[in-house]
Each structure stands twice: as C-alpha cells, then as structure tokens.
Amino acid sequence: MGIVDKEEGWFGREDEVGNRGRKLLAIIMVAVAALGFFILANLLDGKALLMGDPYVIRFGNVEVRPGRTRVRNLAAAGYDFSDLSLGRPSGDGDEASCVYSEVYDLDAQADKKTVYTSIILVKDGQCVALISVVNEKNTEIPLSECKINSVAVCPDYYESETVSLEGASFGQLSANTLTKILGKPRKVSEEGRTYTWERGVHRVILTYNEDGFPESLKTEYHNF
C-alpha cells in the first residue's frame, strides 16, 4: 500500500473545492447580470410605454413632436418666435390681422423647470401657431434648447391649410376623422364640443365652435 502525504492530499482537495466555488460564483454572477439586464430592459420598455409617442403635427414639410422637437429645430426651418402681446394690428375689417416683427433672442437663458406660454410661432411676420416651450432641466439653458411643449392651431392662422396631424390635413379634421386615425377619444366634453385623445404623456384636443366647425386643434406634451 502506498504512502499518501496527508497534508498534500488536503491541499489538493481544497484546490478542487476552490475551483468549484469559483466556477459556481462565476455562473451566479453571469446569471445575476443577465437578470439585471432583463429587468432594466423591461423597466425601460415600461417607461417608453408610459411616455408614449408624440402626436406628429406638420406645417408643410416641417414636423413637430411636442416633448422632443426643440426650438432650434423650428428656427432652422425658418420660423421665428414672438410674444402674444407683441402683435401689431395690420389691415382693416375682415382683413385685419396682427404682424409680429419683434421676435425672441433664442440665445436668452430660460429659467430652470419652467414652462413658457403664449408664444407665437411666426412665419413671414404672421402667426402660424400658438405654442408653449419648456425647460425641464435643473439649470438655465438657452431658449433655443427648450422643447416645444404644446402647439395650437386655428383655421384663420397663417398657412393653416398646410397643417396636418398624423397625416390628416387640418381642413379635413373632425372628431370622426381623428377617431379613425387615433382611436376612441379618451374624453368628450358634456356639450360635445371638445374631444381629447391621449397616448402616454401626449395629448390631442379638438375643439368645435358653436356652429359645429373645428375651432382649434392642439397637441401637447404634459409630463411637466
């Protein structure tokens, strides 16, 4: 019978146990990492579902996605920004309108966590839409970096015939048309003049006047 070095035998078994332990730990770490990645991916998907996709409104070929499109994107497309109070009357009678010759300096700093309302989107000195913009950050940023928060259009706005929402032109919009495109409204006012659709934190509001014609169309991002 051979002689075994007991100390060497124990070291051998300890090395074997140690190797098994390291392999098991590696397997556990890989499994935990995979599980963490899976959970994170689902959380991100869940957040994306919660946020929803913006309703796309277009001015001709210019696309606006509230909550994503920035002021600088519209500025690059040839639009200016003015204040509702800065409009100057032009014309007489039915032809009267407001001209917006004074426009914002887009390098001006926007306050942190602030929504700016009553902003006129301007083209050729005319009102294209009434918008709001938002600085969601905890620091000041240039106005150009703010996001478009809402867009509202009326039939008498400049070039309203070029406006479309989710592919439907403004002139063809109705509650029935939008229901076919967007699905059943989330809310209808008691008098049946205001229809609201929602997709996550994004919203479309169609309002009729007393004569039963579309009075305004608004799409907004309401996560702030």
Side-chain angles (χ1 to χ4, degrees), residues 65-84:
R65 296 172 180 261
R68 296 188 186 176
T69 301
R70 297 185 184 275
V71 168
R72 59 177 163 78
N73 300 132
L74 290 179
Y79 291 92
D80 290 312
F81 301 82
S82 188
D83 191 273
L84 186 61

Side-chain angles (χ1 to χ4, degrees), residues 191-204:
E191 69 277 12
R193 288 177 53 189
T194 303
Y195 294 77
T196 303
W197 289 263
E198 290 188 358
R199 191 159 62 199
V201 297
H202 303 280
R203 183 184 294 153
V204 165

Side-chain angles (χ1 to χ4, degrees), residues 4-20 22:
V4 176
D5 187 325
K6 292 184 178 179
E7 187 174 352
E8 184 179 324
W10 279 112
F11 283 144
R13 284 194 292 274
E14 286 178 355
D15 288 343
E16 184 178 348
V17 171
N19 288 334
R20 289 178 182 173
R22 284 190 288 272

Side-chain angles (χ1 to χ4, degrees), residues 103-125:
V103 297
Y104 290 152
D105 174 7
L106 301 187
D107 291 326
Q109 295 295 298
D111 293 335
K112 64 181 182 180
K113 295 289 185 180
T114 302
V115 176
Y116 293 87
T117 61
S118 301
I119 297 175
I120 300 295
L121 183 65
V122 178
K123 188 72 173 289
D124 300 331

Side-chain angles (χ1 to χ4, degrees), residues 16-90:
E16 184 178 348
V17 171
N19 288 334
R20 289 178 182 173
R22 284 190 288 272
K23 290 180 180 178
L24 180 60
L25 179 60
I27 292 172
I28 292 173
M29 291 177 66
V30 170
V32 169
L35 179 61
F37 178 80
F38 176 78
I39 292 173
L40 179 60
N42 276 273
L43 286 174
L44 291 175
D45 286 345
K47 183 178 180 181
L49 289 172
L50 181 64
M51 295 289 286
D53 290 324
Y55 294 98
V56 179
I57 188 168
R58 291 178 179 273
F59 299 92
N61 294 323
V62 180
E63 178 181 285
V64 180
R65 296 172 180 261
R68 296 188 186 176
T69 301
R70 297 185 184 275
V71 168
R72 59 177 163 78
N73 300 132
L74 290 179
Y79 291 92
D80 290 312
F81 301 82
S82 188
D83 191 273
L84 186 61
S85 65
L86 297 178
R88 299 291 178 262
S90 174

